[in-house]
Amino acid sequence: MPKDKAAAVVTFRNDFCSDLSLKNMLYAVTVRSPVDSGMITSISQDEIVEGCTLFTARDVPGKNLMDSAEGKIQVFCDGNVSYIGEPIGLMVGPDIKSLNRAMAGLRINYDDIPIENYIKNNSGETGGEEIFDSGDMERLVEWGSCFTMESGNRKGIDAELAEADVLVQNDWTYAICPRNYREPCGALCSYSGEILNVYTPSQWITNLRGDLAEVLNIPADRINVTRTKDWGRSSNSIWYNSIIACQAAVASYRLNAPVKLIYSRKEQEDYIDCMKPICFHTELGADKDGRLKAMKVEATLDAGSTNVFIGEIVDRIAIASSSCYKADNVSIRVRAKASKTPPLSIDMQLVDSAAFFAMESAMSALVRKLNKNPDQSLVFPSEIRKFNLNSINELEGAKDEEAVQAMPFSFMLPKAEESIDVLFETSDFKNKYIFYNRESLMRSKDFFSQFEPSPFAPPVRGIGFAVGYEGSFYYGSKIYGSDQELELTLEADGDLVIHSPPLSSSIQEIWTKIAAGILDVKSSRIKINSNFESGSEPFLPENAYANISIMTGLLKKCCESIKRKKDKEPLPISVRHRLGSMQKKSWDMDAFRGEPFHSCSFAAATVEVELDCHTFSDRIRMIHINISGGQILNSQAAEATIRLGIQKVLSTLMDGRKTECDDIKISFMNDTGNPEQIGELVYQVIPSAYLQAVSQALGTQLDCLPLKYDDVYRHIKELKSRNAATEIVTPAAEEPVNAEENKDADSTEAQR
């Protein structure tokens, strides 16, 4: 059992919060709004259950608000409801049975007219709007000559697209929501009249301690925080956990007793891990060779109610909407619409994946359109991506800033072209792509148009291709905007102590190897200290310190500094380094231009599928992924991370059913640069490559993930029912194939 501490500290322990208990501990459940708008007028109970107490906004001893970079958030709803399920109180009791009785007799009365309507009626048409912000967010990016003024007018992106030799327009929907079977959010709080002890899986301890101090109106140095075990990284779990802890702390403060509040699995899915679909409209204009002349992307997402990360989410999607590509003219608009639903939740490491899915799918649609020209040789998806890459590497020789800044956003994509070439060869992509396109052409009329389910029908196949990057440390973040730093201490006894939040075993192994090599100390003498005194805890959310690219660089700097000092100064020696402010100047947040990330890793992937025309099920035959992520210090751990990531992605591609693959090939580019973040690359490339493979197999363009269980059946039947004389041949089915050029490919594939 945890024990109260005598001094304010921050510690970490490898236990789940739900497994902890304290003497005389009480339990709590959240009282939620039954309506999505209106005003709570009163709360009453049919029966007073002994030992059960209700706490609401009126019981908060300090402020009922948490400050954030995007505004203030209520700890308890103060009466004006924002969405169904919004926390309006906390019921606390001695056991779950008593709590259930108390909750069953709870009556919540409300006025279905929200307060802003009353104010609007009393202050004119715009009164309510002036006081109550809609919560909508938008980011508009315009780049290129078509937006310059000429003779008092500007051409605009639509006119530029209309003049393109090749134009493709598509709509895409990304609704992938990775399942998290992790510990739900919660908190155990114990207030003794002097010290508040909090046990919680919070990822943002500095923010939590500050919020608790203001909500309870007590000094921050009287608050102990013990970070319990958790695997959550969604945007909501980072900040919403602070609300949960504050709610439990209010009850503990009023009762002077320990109170534990743990969300149920359903609450976790409904209010914390509540990903919503993101919709994209893309228009790409290219010349006859496939070089992008104009790019237009419009994205809309449901932000739900107040979300402290929504500004960063919108900006990150805007940056990722051009994926890895450059165009002469670019228009990107991302809109986040507020709604009467729980705040949108996105894994902050995967915030870019929806935009990558849309743009990679759009590039594949462009390839199919280019291949409709019978006078043009077959175009490969890999080639189109290579000569449209937007990478600073290609422009290193340019001297003038305008030449280097070929797009509003620039990226250092390590060995991107080489990575594509390696994948192209090792996956046998060329032969398979040619063969499967020819199969698609032959099937369109002869197979699907006369289709009847048969156990003897051969499977149909397709292959998809996608590239993507993972950006480390977004310079424009308000939440992560402070400098990352790392402190090392060489103790008098020769031990080297790294002051850091808990690290994964693989990162700890890498850091130990680096530090031991630079300082010539035994690995057994290197220790990680995750305990911090009040005021010295990590300032940023914990997941920022898992950034291997930045933190490994800081580790090396600290070790080099200690190496220079250890023969000149007495032990112990402590050294602290932080991310240089000069690096941040590469990104102009006001103009929304420049290099937005500290560094990037790059990946290219192919996914090969086959569809069973009898059971209408899909099977992934093979996945190839090639990664360029700097020096791989532990190849076995890196491969295990990528393989685990692929399995997680596959569980999200088909709604209600896990897609599997037994043949996964992972390779890494040889590189001596600093290690980069690579764990999320699979989310940037696998979904689009999978969708394009299924689309090629079906001979039609699918536009949404996850796929429904009956999508394969539905699309085959749609093709069958079309008029063969008019619409039976789809763009993918019309790709011309030269028999002489491809006879070797046919022979090779026929032997597989």
Side-chain angles (χ1 to χ4, degrees):
M1 292 187 181
K3 297 180 179 180
D4 291 357
K5 305 177 186 66
V9 293
V10 174
T11 58
F12 295 76
R13 60 183 296 158
N14 195 31
D15 294 296
F16 289 115
C17 184
S18 59
D19 294 334
L20 303 180
S21 64
L22 291 172
K23 185 178 180 180
N24 299 322
M25 185 179 73
L26 302 174
Y27 297 86
V29 293
T30 306
V31 178
R32 301 186 179 278
S33 167
V35 295
D36 63 0
S37 65
M39 292 185 294
I40 303 295
T41 57
S42 65
I43 303 177
S44 60
Q45 292 178 274
D46 293 342
E47 175 189 0
I48 302 299
V49 179
E50 183 179 358
C52 291
T53 309
L54 175 66
F55 296 94
T56 64
R58 296 179 181 180
D59 299 296
V60 176
K63 295 181 180 179
N64 187 42
L65 294 170
M66 285 173 39
D67 285 323
S68 76
E70 298 296 338
K72 297 182 183 296
I73 307 162
Q74 295 181 357
V75 176
F76 291 112
C77 173
D78 62 2
N80 192 42
V81 177
S82 299
Y83 60 91
I84 292 178
E86 183 176 9
I88 59 176
L90 209 64
M91 185 68 76
V92 180
D95 52 65
I96 299 300
K97 184 178 180 180
S98 298
L99 285 174
N100 289 338
R101 284 177 54 206
M103 291 290 286
L106 204 61
R107 296 291 175 262
I108 302 173
N109 302 307
Y110 63 95
D111 185 338
D112 59 3
I113 301 177
I115 190 172
E116 54 262 38
N117 284 20
Y118 284 108
I119 294 177
K120 182 176 179 180
N121 292 337
N122 293 329
S123 58
E125 290 188 2
T126 60
E129 295 173 2
E130 292 171 353
I131 297 174
F132 296 95
D133 188 0
S134 67
D136 294 350
M137 187 75 63
E138 179 176 313
R139 171 64 71 180
L140 175 63
V141 178
E142 293 180 334
W143 174 271
S145 58
C146 75
F147 297 107
T148 59
M149 299 295 292
E150 294 182 5
S151 303
N153 297 309
R154 57 179 205 166
K155 189 175 182 181
I157 193 69
D158 291 331
E160 196 70 32
L161 286 164
E163 294 176 3
D165 296 327
V166 183
L167 175 65
V168 289
Q169 304 180 56
N170 300 91
D171 293 301
W172 314 97
T173 301
Y174 184 87
I176 285 179
C177 183
R179 289 286 180 180
N180 293 310
Y181 301 101
R182 57 182 174 82
E183 171 81 347
C185 286
L188 168 58
C189 298
S190 175
Y191 185 69
S192 62
E194 290 292 331
I195 299 295
L196 174 69
N197 292 287
V198 180
Y199 307 88
T200 182
S202 172
Q203 299 175 61
W204 200 359
I205 293 173
T206 298
N207 181 73
L208 171 63
R209 291 179 76 246
D211 290 335
L212 286 166
E214 292 203 350
V215 169
L216 297 186
N217 196 24
I218 63 175
D221 60 8
R222 286 168 52 189
I223 301 173
N224 297 328
V225 177
T226 297
R227 162 70 159 88
T228 56
K229 190 176 180 181
D230 180 42
W231 306 108
R233 301 179 312 174
S234 70
S235 58
N236 285 6
S237 66
I238 295 175
W239 64 271
Y240 207 104
N241 186 264
S242 294
I243 291 181
I244 296 172
C246 286
Q247 292 169 351
V250 167
S252 179
Y253 179 92
R254 290 299 186 190
L255 295 171
N256 204 26
V259 174
K260 181 160 78 169
L261 170 62
I262 303 292
Y263 270 24
S264 67
R265 176 59 55 192
K266 187 175 188 309
E267 285 179 305
Q268 182 75 22
E269 293 177 355
D270 290 346
Y271 305 108
I272 306 297
D273 301 327
C274 46
M275 175 69 178
K276 302 177 179 72
I278 303 178
C279 300
F280 293 84
H281 174 75
T282 61
E283 297 183 34
L284 301 181
D287 63 17
K288 295 178 181 178
D289 296 324
R291 298 185 185 276
L292 293 177
K293 297 301 181 183
M295 175 191 300
K296 180 179 180 181
V297 181
E298 295 181 343
T300 57
L301 58 149
D302 181 353
S305 184
T306 305
N307 186 315
V308 304
F309 283 96
I310 193 59
E312 181 169 341
I313 289 170
V314 167
D315 287 349
R316 290 282 297 271
I317 290 176
I319 293 170
S321 288
S322 60
S323 187
C324 306
Y325 311 115
K326 60 179 181 285
D328 295 340
N329 297 277
V330 177
S331 173
I332 298 171
R333 186 188 300 271
V334 181
R335 296 186 182 94
K337 291 291 193 180
S339 67
K340 298 290 186 178
T341 59
L344 168 71
S345 177
I346 291 181
D347 190 322
M348 290 309 293
Q349 266 67 39
L350 305 180
V351 68
D352 312 324
S353 57
F356 275 99
F357 162 76
M359 183 50 64
E360 287 303 302
S361 299
M363 289 295 285
S364 295
L366 174 62
V367 172
R368 286 192 297 275
K369 188 70 173 286
L370 287 167
N371 283 333
K372 288 182 67 177
N373 185 355
D375 299 324
Q376 183 172 303
S377 59
L378 192 67
V379 177
F380 293 99
S382 52
E383 293 301 316
I384 289 292
R385 285 164 169 82
K386 279 174 59 177
F387 59 66
N388 281 304
L389 275 176
N390 174 29
S391 176
I392 298 176
N393 311 49
E394 299 176 348
L395 304 168
E396 286 176 347
K399 295 184 178 179
D400 118 36
E401 188 176 338
E402 273 303 312
V404 173
Q405 188 66 32
M407 280 280 285
F409 319 124
S410 347
F411 311 101
M412 183 72 74
L413 305 178
K415 298 189 175 183
E417 287 199 25
E418 296 175 51
S419 183
I420 292 174
D421 288 338
V422 168
L423 183 74
F424 190 80
E425 296 300 325
T426 57
S427 66
D428 197 21
F429 180 78
K430 179 179 179 179
N431 286 338
K432 291 180 178 180
Y433 184 77
I434 292 172
F435 187 82
Y436 294 159
N437 268 295
R438 181 169 181 175
E439 277 192 325
S440 180
L441 175 66
M442 297 173 63
R443 280 196 307 268
S444 296
K445 290 182 179 179
D446 300 335
F447 181 71
F448 285 142
S449 59
Q450 303 171 14
F451 173 78
E452 292 296 339
S454 168
F456 306 107
V460 294
R461 296 172 181 173
I463 191 167
F465 181 94
V467 302
Y469 65 80
E470 180 180 350
S472 294
F473 198 88
Y474 170 48
Y475 289 136
S477 174
K478 293 180 181 179
I479 306 297
Y480 299 87
S482 299
D483 292 334
Q484 286 182 249
E485 63 179 24
L486 186 68
E487 181 179 0
L488 267 66
T489 300
L490 184 59
E491 303 285 2
D493 60 3
D495 285 351
L496 180 68
V497 179
I498 302 173
H499 302 277
S500 166
L503 304 169
S504 67
S505 58
S506 59
I507 293 179
Q508 188 167 340
E509 181 181 344
I510 291 171
W511 281 18
T512 299
K513 187 183 297 185
I514 290 174
I518 295 175
L519 294 174
D520 193 24
V521 297
K522 293 182 179 180
S523 298
S524 59
R525 305 301 299 271
I526 300 175
K527 299 176 173 58
I528 306 294
N529 184 357
S530 297
N531 296 331
F532 300 88
E533 294 182 358
S534 174
S536 66
E537 67 272 11
F539 185 78
L540 298 176
E542 184 180 323
N543 60 352
Y545 291 87
N547 189 311
I548 188 173
S549 174
I550 295 175
M551 300 309 292
T552 300
L554 295 178
L555 175 74
K556 290 179 179 178
K557 288 182 179 180
C558 289
C559 289
E560 294 291 349
S561 296
I562 291 177
K563 184 178 181 180
R564 290 192 298 268
K565 293 181 178 183
K566 69 176 183 177
D567 294 330
K568 302 176 183 178
E569 300 180 13
L571 301 179
I573 298 173
S574 290
V575 173
R576 181 180 298 178
H577 278 282
R578 63 175 54 192
L579 182 68
S581 59
M582 288 298 294
Q583 291 176 284
K584 294 185 178 183
K585 292 183 178 179
S586 62
W587 175 247
D588 185 344
M589 187 60 195
D590 293 333
F592 209 64
R593 299 284 188 272
E595 192 175 354
F597 299 110
H598 171 269
S599 57
C600 295
S601 56
F602 181 84
T606 63
V607 175
E608 184 182 357
V609 304
E610 69 176 21
L611 309 179
D612 189 317
C613 297
H614 176 56
T615 63
F616 305 105
S617 61
D618 70 315
R619 182 179 75 87
I620 298 181
R621 296 187 70 205
M622 190 178 295
I623 293 175
H624 279 78
I625 185 167
N626 182 266
I627 292 171
S628 178
Q631 185 178 10
I632 304 298
L633 299 175
N634 187 331
S635 57
Q636 187 175 8
E639 182 172 334
T641 297
I642 298 301
R643 195 172 296 276
L644 177 61
I646 290 175
Q647 296 299 336
K648 288 182 177 179
V649 173
L650 295 185
S651 69
T652 68
L653 299 178
M654 183 72 73
D655 190 18
R657 183 170 63 86
K658 183 178 180 180
T659 303
E660 297 182 348
C661 179
D662 297 326
D663 193 351
I664 300 174
K665 291 180 170 56
I666 301 167
S667 59
F668 300 95
M669 299 295 292
N670 292 325
D671 198 340
T672 57
N674 284 333
E676 304 290 350
Q677 293 289 105
I678 62 173
E680 318 304 338
L681 281 169
V682 293
Y683 288 90
Q684 320 292 47
V685 294
I686 299 297
S688 177
Y690 167 79
L691 189 74
Q692 298 317 308
V694 177
S695 296
Q696 185 185 56
L698 289 173
T700 189
Q701 178 59 65
L702 303 179
D703 57 15
C704 179
L705 279 181
L707 294 179
K708 302 296 183 184
Y709 187 75
D710 62 347
D711 274 348
V712 173
Y713 173 80
R714 180 169 53 83
H715 281 284
I716 289 177
K717 297 300 285 184
E718 283 178 2
L719 287 170
K720 177 181 181 295
S721 64
R722 289 178 187 174
N723 188 315
T726 55
E727 298 180 343
I728 189 65
V729 180
T730 64
E734 291 182 348
E735 294 168 354
V737 179
N738 184 294
E740 287 297 319
E741 178 184 343
N742 300 321
K743 63 182 180 180
D744 293 336
D746 292 351
S747 175
T748 301
E749 187 58 34
Q751 297 174 16
R752 295 182 184 278

